Amino acid sequence: MNAQILSFFDPATGTGTHLVFDQPGGRAAVIDPVLDYDPKSGRTRHQNADKVLAALREHQLTLDWIMETHAHADHLSAAVYLQQQAGGKTVIGAGIAGVQQVFRKAFDLEADFVCDGSQFDHLLHDGETLPLGALHFTAIAVPGHTPADMAYQIGDAVFVGDTMFMPDVGTARCDFPGGDARALYQSVHKLLALPAATRLFLCHDYPPAGSGRSPCLVTTVADQRAGNIHVHDGISEEDFVVMRSQRDATLDMPQLILPSVQVNIRAGHFPPAAENGVHYLKIPLNFF
Ligand SMILES: [Fe+2]
């Protein structure tokens, strides 16, 4: 039995959220849910997450897991809202603790913010498994974009997070704190060593201008090895590191990196409310 997978695309952030389940009426996981955030007003909404909730209801699924491939820098996680509405446990790679340490300093977080990943319900190490009804996920450590990225394999499907994108888009940037182009190359090749027909489900798509294609959130090992512009067969680690480093030096910070990271390292919770009951995010000046 293969997992059943429904994918949702958020055009505002280019993010893919995936709903994975063993069978109708069975057990489900949501990977990388998006909380809508308007940076102009500071208002959050749940339009993306509500589509996932509707699909959970339609297929009569029990939500067991809300999984993050990493602490995203381009969107806020809807994990807390999903958990409030449908239950489930939040999951991320155990390396999140190191990421929390970096950003705890950057954002001068409250003294009792602990950097041990305990804001999440469950932490996974490389090779660990997570049950999903009659099926199970296996965690595959894929550092590079961040030091703590995890891919999640279930049957013939792998949720690759920010490693590879569609073949015409390439790979994820490696210039965030703890990022490492050499590590990303090795992580990508760990995934590309899987059988050629393995389906790779993506965390993002950004169709190139002029490509004429629609957003797409799934590709295969065979397609990536044949045509990924950054890592197709024949591109050496040295060539990749040079290309990635030069390209990263040209990239702006993601629009939502400052709000996203502050929420996502808390497993989607907002920072504690101030005395007036309002939750605030911080903008460190001249830090990044
Ligand atoms: Fe990312």
Side-chain angles (χ1 to χ4, degrees):
M1 183 165 73
N2 262 328
Q4 302 196 36
I5 299 164
L6 297 172
S7 297
F8 303 81
F9 182 72
D10 171 33
T13 64
T15 303
T17 296
H18 305 284
L19 169 61
V20 189
F21 56 102
D22 62 344
Q23 56 186 320
R27 320 300 297 200
V30 174
I31 300 178
D32 293 331
V34 174
L35 182 70
D36 311 309
Y37 174 72
D38 174 15
K40 297 188 290 297
S41 63
R43 173 70 60 183
T44 61
R45 293 189 171 83
H46 306 115
Q47 282 161 337
N48 276 294
D50 283 339
K51 289 180 196 164
V52 178
L53 288 169
L56 282 168
R57 282 192 297 272
E58 183 188 340
H59 298 279
Q60 299 179 299
L61 301 169
T62 302
L63 182 58
D64 284 344
W65 307 113
I66 303 164
M67 304 166 73
E68 304 285 356
T69 52
H70 62 294
H72 305 278
D74 46 62
H75 68 273
L76 282 66
S77 169
V80 169
Y81 175 71
L82 277 183
Q83 195 168 40
Q84 287 166 347
Q85 299 295 316
K89 288 184 157 58
T90 55
V91 180
I92 200 166
I96 187 66
V99 175
Q100 289 174 324
Q101 278 164 17
V102 169
F103 288 109
R104 179 193 173 151
K105 287 199 195 88
F107 289 106
D108 190 30
L109 297 182
E110 66 277 12
D112 59 357
F113 180 84
V114 288
C115 298
D116 61 1
S118 58
Q119 297 83 354
F120 295 81
D121 297 317
H122 192 77
L123 299 178
L124 283 172
H125 294 88
D126 187 30
E128 277 191 87
T129 61
L130 201 61
L132 189 74
L135 308 175
H136 66 269
F137 289 100
T138 303
I140 305 173
V142 286
H145 171 63
T146 79
D149 280 53
M150 279 288 179
Y152 301 116
Q153 181 171 21
I154 185 164
D156 75 330
V158 184
F159 300 87
V160 302
D162 282 6
T163 53
M164 287 167 278
F165 301 128
M166 285 294 284
D168 58 354
V169 179
T171 55
R173 63 195 298 175
C174 296
D175 58 336
F176 296 153
D180 183 335
R182 206 166 287 282
L184 182 66
Y185 183 90
Q186 290 163 13
S187 294
V188 161
H189 282 271
K190 206 193 291 191
L191 299 177
L192 294 183
L194 292 166
T198 304
R199 295 181 295 162
L200 306 176
F201 288 85
L202 310 176
C203 185
H204 290 289
D205 189 27
Y206 316 100
S211 69
R213 68 171 180 81
S214 302
C216 181
L217 294 170
V218 62
T219 173
T220 63
V221 165
D223 286 346
Q224 296 286 21
R225 290 184 61 164
N228 185 294
I229 57 170
H230 295 166
V231 289
H232 64 72
D233 284 356
I235 293 182
S236 72
E237 183 172 318
E238 292 310 316
D239 290 344
F240 175 79
V241 169
V242 168
M243 177 285 301
R244 192 67 265 172
S245 307
Q246 288 176 347
R247 183 171 159 72
D248 287 349
T250 71
L251 299 176
D252 276 342
M253 295 279 267
Q255 173 86 13
L256 297 182
I257 184 170
L258 298 176
S260 298
V261 168
Q262 290 176 72
V263 168
N264 294 341
I265 62 171
R266 299 176 187 270
H269 290 279
F270 297 156
E275 281 179 19
N276 64 2
V278 178
H279 301 271
Y280 291 87
L281 295 169
K282 290 182 181 175
I283 305 291
L285 297 176
N286 304 317
F287 186 88
F288 290 108

